[in-house]
Amino acid sequence: DTGVSQNPRHKITKRGQNVTFRCDPISEHNRLYWYRQTLGQGPEFLTYFQNEAQLEKSRLLSDRFSAERPKGSFSTLEIQRTEQGDSAMYLCASSLTRRETQYFGPGTRLLVL
Amino acid sequence: AQKVTQAQTEISVVEKEDVTLDCVYETRDTTYYLFWYKQPPSGELVFLIRRNSFDEQNEISGRYSWNFQKSTSSFNFTITASQVVDSAVYFCALSEAGVDSGGSNYKLTFGKGTLLTVNP
């Protein structure tokens, strides 16, 4: 059984550039969540999908952030015009249904120079 | 709004000692779920245990056990006979429907984590 996968694992970019991360959830999991984790903190919720529908976005998700989940399979998280404050670990999790346990991927570590 | 507090920032023990990690939570929902996740240096969050709000029975799973008390809103986690491989950051997390956001998100709210170091 394949777990949640995320690509790339690491990304270094210059301020002002756009970056895109991908998350492949566990097969048949219809819920997909994105979290952000900064150094020394716990992960913080960004957004989630029920199949292909994005149902909630955190106030942390500025208008420079956009997420999609076409066809209810993989998801992408794009950050436009990156800022140094965007440097963090971006974590993706999936669950079979809304009340089931969320399983996390290895994360994408972003560094904005 | 939901909140999770892990008062212990760091704990250091010697191998084979038992160690308990504390977690206190706040929620307005009557139905919620509590979790412990482990984050080793590699960074991946690993699910350990889960408890439903309507089941306060405490259990033991291998070297892990937990003490869930709704009266004090606590969900403490114990590792028995700790090992060096247990060294990691441990996160307590709360999941609820979210009465303030339509009642269906079940997003996880995490504490700040406890860094556990097990020395040989």
Side-chain angles (χ1 to χ4, degrees):
Chain A
D1 190 18
T2 308
V4 179
S5 62
Q6 291 186 248
N7 288 289
R9 295 290 307 277
H10 302 272
K11 180 70 177 179
I12 300 175
T13 190
K14 293 182 180 179
R15 190 177 54 185
Q17 298 293 305
N18 298 343
V19 295
T20 300
F21 310 141
R22 175 176 170 133
C23 170
D24 288 88
I26 295 172
S27 178
E28 298 180 355
H29 279 196
N30 59 33
R31 283 246 166 161
L32 188 148
Y33 296 79
W34 284 99
Y35 295 85
R36 182 171 70 184
Q37 184 180 21
T38 54
L39 203 59
Q41 302 295 316
E44 294 177 291
F45 168 77
L46 292 179
T47 188
Y48 85 97
F49 293 83
Q50 171 82 25
N51 298 312
E52 67 276 7
Q54 186 175 18
L55 297 183
E56 185 177 340
K57 294 190 286 187
S58 160
R59 57 180 172 78
L60 294 176
L61 216 63
S62 75
D63 55 6
R64 296 185 297 105
F65 289 71
S66 63
E68 294 182 341
R69 192 183 182 196
K71 301 179 182 178
S73 56
F74 70 91
S75 175
T76 59
L77 178 67
E78 180 183 16
I79 309 175
Q80 296 182 327
R81 305 181 303 281
T82 52
E83 301 173 355
Q84 288 184 327
D86 296 331
S87 296
M89 172 82 92
Y90 290 84
L91 293 160
C92 175
S94 71
S95 64
L96 185 60
T97 65
R98 59 183 183 172
R99 293 189 179 89
E100 294 298 318
T101 298
Q102 292 179 34
Y103 294 92
F104 284 80
T108 295
R109 196 177 295 275
L110 173 67
L111 177 61
V112 182
L113 301 176
Chain B
Q2 59 268 41
K3 183 179 178 182
V4 175
T5 302
Q6 294 180 252
Q8 304 152 308
T9 305
E10 294 186 36
I11 298 177
S12 181
V13 299
V14 176
E15 203 170 20
K16 298 184 183 179
E17 285 185 12
D18 298 347
V19 56
T20 295
L21 308 180
D22 298 334
C23 174
V24 175
Y25 63 92
E26 295 177 28
T27 178
R28 290 168 52 190
D29 279 14
T30 55
T31 300
Y32 52 89
Y33 304 87
L34 294 162
F35 302 83
W36 279 95
Y37 286 86
K38 172 183 178 180
Q39 189 173 45
S42 62
E44 184 167 351
L45 276 167
V46 178
F47 164 72
L48 297 176
I49 60 173
R50 163 198 173 108
R51 208 73 202 146
N52 306 328
S53 58
F54 44 85
D55 183 359
E56 285 191 75
Q57 183 177 357
N58 296 309
E59 292 184 13
I60 297 174
S61 175
R63 295 188 299 111
Y64 299 154
S65 62
W66 49 97
N67 188 341
F68 175 34
Q69 294 191 347
K70 289 179 74 171
S71 60
T72 56
S73 297
S74 65
F75 184 52
N76 298 335
F77 174 64
T78 297
I79 302 174
T80 303
S82 60
Q83 301 174 1
V84 173
V85 293
D86 294 329
S87 297
V89 179
Y90 288 79
F91 289 98
C92 179
L94 166 70
S95 170
E96 56 176 33
V99 293
D100 297 327
S101 55
S104 68
N105 63 33
Y106 289 93
K107 66 184 179 185
L108 288 167
T109 298
F110 287 86
K112 291 190 174 182
T114 298
L115 173 62
L116 173 64
T117 302
V118 181
N119 299 298

